[in-house]
Amino acid sequence: MRRFARVALDTPVRREFSYSVPSDLQDVQPGCRVRIPFGPRRLVGIVVGLENSPPSGVPPNKIRPLASLLDAEPLLTPALLRLARHVADTTFCSWGQALAAMLPASLRRGRARRSVPVVEIAGAMGEEQLAELRSPFPKQERALAFLMQAKGPVEVREFRNRTGLSKSPLESLAKRGWVRFGQRTERSDPFADAPKLDFPPPTLTPRQQECVDQICEALEDGKNEDFLLFGITGSGKTEVYLRALKRCLEQGRGAIILVPEIALTPQTVARFRARCGEVAVLHSALTDAERHDQWLAIAEGRLRVVVGARSALFAPVPDLGLVVLDEEHENSFKQDSVPRYHARGVARERAHIEGAVCIFGSATPSLESWQAAKEGRLRLLELPERVGGGTLPRVRLVDMRNEKPEQGKWLVVSRPLQEALGEALEREEQAILFLNRRGYSPAWHCRQCGGSVSCARCDVALTFHRWREKALCHRCLAESPPPRSCPGCGDPVTMVGVGTERAEETLLRLFPGVRIARMDRDTMVRRQDYESVLGDFGRGEFDILLGTQMVAKGLDFPRVTVVGVLDADTALHQPDFRAAERCFGLVAQVSGRAGRGERPGQVVVQTWMPEHAALRAAVHHDYPGFAKGEMEERRDFLYPPHVKGVRILVEGADPARADKAARDVMEILAPAAKEGGGILLGPAPPPIEKLRGRWRRQVLLKAPAGASMAPMREALYTLCQRQGVIVDPL
Ligand code: ADP
Ligand code: ZN
């Protein structure tokens, strides 16, 4: 008879709690959910261990009994319990927090909601209604404007996330009868009417065959083995995954395929369904109930293939044989709330625990994976050619400094890009243009004092959005009327820089009548909008697809022959040590969109820094060359993959309090860093010093090769349990 259960709770407190197991709950097993008394409250926790003796130092009569057992069978397998432990150890959170991140919200709470509240405009609304709300009720105006852009009902949760507003302006609008609430019970499966692809699988190229052979050999061995599939865009990586998947299913095992959220399109899903029948699709837009159902179907072995974004990594697939991480370099694989894990690390750990084969795939691998391949920790597989012998498009850098301004204004679309677009339109081909800034213009500048206009609560320049004539902070989403004068000196301010709205306006002027699909967070309110625009573009209903990073990934349109990057420097100017890596990856990814069909493609990249190493390498499609130079740079400045590190962020109501909080952090970390041989840097203001009215400071802790993490880990755990402290692995 097991008499004591160790229970993990979803709190930052880094310990488990012991309870006695009453005689009627003897069926309890590790991985089951239980209800427990906790102080005056009842909480749901997960049993992580059973013991015969009480925890040392606690008299048995002081230990309270479990209140009830929620699962007859364990909800989490021993492998998943271990995986959560790993996530906790590497991101410095508690075991319970890591476990909570694995479960669908419904199971964390105890039951699934069957419907979600939605809201939509009630009838035709226009400028007249917006104007009526404008000065007395700016929040209602914002809310209405947002709903006007959506082409149907929007989840209330989504509304809150996207506008930063609460539900109350919606309620006021509902009283006026301008919007109405509803419930969405059953979502029609967004992937149900995905095209049914059932063409015969292609004959593999010799290169693909080699890769597949190596992976299948590892699958036969039934032992964990990790691969890096380094293949240029269009080299047939997905076909390799599909063959490996087929072998894995023949063995009677299951698989998890992770793709970036944005790549979870009907096309992607259809490709997997066509080859391996029913697959579970897990993405962020599922309702609790849908996620719940999928989860149970997976756990019971009814669905053996899971395709999904980051969190699909925790799907309870029994007898897991294969884990694939496509586009492994993508930063959407990093979670930016607790637990701050990276899918790469967790994928490998899960494959390791389960004896599964793990494949990372990319045309531009992360330097972490590239280094691992060099050191033999990942087995390198290469696909250096496009399937069918197609060539990579020619990439041209346009030095914007040489583009003479017109009427005193710098060009948005350079002359070489104008020419390329003109010719493509002439031939009835299509183009994709990339600009990673939504809105009309990303800043206002004062010529007199050199100042710019920032958000009242954030240290962030305001973006002008033309369609609503508003200045918007892209961090806190606050809106204000466009500024007329400089807050510093009172002189008039001028708009500088180009966003997607302005680029669209320019293109319409240059090519009257051109059909442009603009794709950014302003035009793509709902997931369905994204899919419908891509469908229209694929059918040739638009000539140009213009957008933010939404257009950079995985799109495959054979009629696209021109790809333009309107401003490559946005990526390079990010205050982040990965800026160059991102910029290279971005140019390579967007280049991959050109010339997918019979006709050759060309890529035009506009920049003010044409001599930058990342751009020079991108012109030559030279990933290894770029990686070599960048790796040296990282070595010199002690950044990953050469060192491990964490960034610690603290905040305060004013600069003095933020400084104080940062000094406290230094005090806790300094002895640990000294003992472990770590390097402590800071405190310093982070790139965004003020956010939502709070002042912030950052501290960096780096652990070079040979440092001992143990003492530092203890200190980091201590910090993570504090309010207002963020510990973020680099
Ligand atoms: P990647 O994932 O590397 O960008 P894909 O797997 O999407 O490349 O392949 C690009 C295109 O080539 C797809 O349309 C795919 O169906 C096709 N393809 C892949 N392998 C072959 C092959 N061996 N023979 C013919 N076509 C192939
Ligand atoms: Zn702001």
Side-chain angles (χ1 to χ4, degrees), residues 202-205 208 232-239 271 387 556:
T203 313
L204 295 179
T205 65
Q208 284 174 316
I232 61 170
T233 53
S235 61
K237 294 186 289 299
T238 312
E239 193 55 44
R271 255 177 113 177
V387 172
D556 189 353

Side-chain angles (χ1 to χ4, degrees), residues 166-224:
S166 72
K167 204 178 155 191
S168 78
L170 291 180
E171 281 158 350
S172 312
L173 286 168
K175 280 201 198 106
R176 289 172 185 268
W178 290 5
V179 310
R180 61 172 164 252
F181 288 100
Q183 293 286 328
R184 204 199 56 217
T185 41
E186 204 69 57
R187 175 200 300 274
S188 51
D189 175 357
F191 300 108
D193 24 286
K196 291 277 176 292
L197 309 165
D198 55 0
F199 48 79
T203 313
L204 295 179
T205 65
R207 288 281 198 171
Q208 284 174 316
Q209 188 67 54
E210 244 172 77
C211 298
V212 171
D213 287 347
Q214 292 203 45
I215 295 166
C216 286
E217 222 170 273
L219 281 168
E220 299 307 335
D221 284 350
K223 288 203 300 273
N224 165 237

Side-chain angles (χ1 to χ4, degrees), residues 464-480:
F464 179 55
H465 284 246
R466 163 141 285 171
W467 88 274
R468 305 210 30 234
E469 292 287 322
K470 294 281 183 199
L472 197 71
C473 169
H474 281 184
R475 292 312 290 262
C476 74
L477 305 175
E479 255 183 27
S480 48

Side-chain angles (χ1 to χ4, degrees), residues 454-460 462 472-478 690-693:
S454 347
C455 173
R457 301 163 67 217
C458 311
D459 160 30
V460 168
L462 292 178
L472 197 71
C473 169
H474 281 184
R475 292 312 290 262
C476 74
L477 305 175
K690 197 171 92 179
L691 192 65
R692 296 186 181 85

Side-chain angles (χ1 to χ4, degrees), residues 246-539:
K246 181 158 170 281
R247 191 73 206 84
C248 170
L249 292 173
E250 283 165 5
Q251 290 183 314
R253 305 177 80 184
I256 298 177
I257 318 291
L258 289 194
V259 297
E261 178 83 36
I262 201 79
L264 262 180
T265 59
Q267 290 100 308
T268 313
V269 174
R271 255 177 113 177
F272 284 95
R273 283 204 174 142
R275 294 289 184 81
C276 45
E278 212 34 45
V279 307
V281 184
L282 294 176
H283 57 80
S284 62
L286 295 179
T287 64
D288 279 357
E290 285 166 326
R291 194 177 295 274
H292 184 111
D293 292 348
Q294 294 264 24
W295 221 77
L296 296 181
I298 296 164
E300 288 162 13
R302 283 185 280 130
L303 294 173
R304 284 192 299 152
V305 179
V306 179
V307 178
R310 195 175 57 221
S311 64
L313 209 42
F314 302 122
V317 179
D319 198 5
L320 185 69
L322 179 69
V323 181
V324 174
L325 199 62
D326 189 28
E327 309 287 1
E328 62 89 32
H329 61 278
E330 269 286 312
N331 52 345
S332 65
F333 284 127
K334 169 88 190 294
Q335 170 140 311
D336 62 5
S337 58
V338 174
R340 294 171 201 278
Y341 66 90
H342 197 295
R344 276 200 301 266
V346 182
R348 285 188 69 179
E349 183 65 19
R350 176 132 194 221
H352 179 80
I353 293 172
E354 309 233 17
V357 167
C358 179
I359 311 173
F360 289 176
S362 177
T364 56
S366 62
L367 290 189
E368 282 80 357
S369 296
W370 190 244
Q371 176 86 344
K374 298 228 131 157
E375 292 171 0
R377 286 177 285 125
L378 290 173
R379 229 163 102 190
L380 186 63
L381 305 172
E382 294 185 68
L383 290 175
E385 289 146 23
R386 276 193 162 175
V387 172
T391 48
L392 283 172
R394 195 166 75 97
V395 179
R396 242 166 113 175
L397 293 185
V398 175
D399 185 344
M400 295 303 277
R401 292 170 303 192
N402 299 337
E403 292 289 303
K404 294 222 168 48
E406 265 169 23
Q407 292 151 14
K409 285 200 177 131
W410 292 101
L411 294 189
V412 176
V413 182
S414 63
R415 290 173 188 92
L417 182 54
Q418 287 182 29
E419 253 165 56
L421 286 173
E423 286 165 18
L425 294 174
E426 190 78 14
R427 291 191 300 259
E428 303 199 338
E429 295 166 353
Q430 293 176 302
I432 295 180
L433 298 181
F434 175 83
L435 177 61
N436 209 6
R437 274 193 195 130
R438 65 193 175 98
Y440 188 84
S441 178
W444 274 273
H445 257 278
C446 173
R447 295 241 167 93
Q448 191 62 32
C449 70
S452 64
V453 185
S454 347
C455 173
R457 301 163 67 217
C458 311
D459 160 30
V460 168
L462 292 178
T463 298
F464 179 55
H465 284 246
R466 163 141 285 171
W467 88 274
R468 305 210 30 234
E469 292 287 322
K470 294 281 183 199
L472 197 71
C473 169
H474 281 184
R475 292 312 290 262
C476 74
L477 305 175
E479 255 183 27
S480 48
R484 306 252 166 263
S485 55
C486 172
C489 68
D491 262 38
V493 282
T494 42
M495 259 187 272
V496 289
V498 183
T500 46
E501 272 184 339
R502 187 164 181 181
E504 181 179 23
E505 185 186 275
T506 307
L507 288 163
L508 285 170
R509 194 159 33 80
L510 289 170
F511 305 103
V514 69
R515 297 165 306 165
I516 302 175
R518 177 156 67 84
M519 192 170 247
D520 54 35
R521 296 220 329 166
D522 296 319
T523 56
M524 300 293 105
V525 175
R526 306 175 311 154
R527 183 183 194 85
Q528 298 93 302
D529 301 340
Y530 178 76
E531 280 147 22
S532 82
V533 169
L534 289 182
D536 293 347
F537 186 66
R539 281 187 297 276

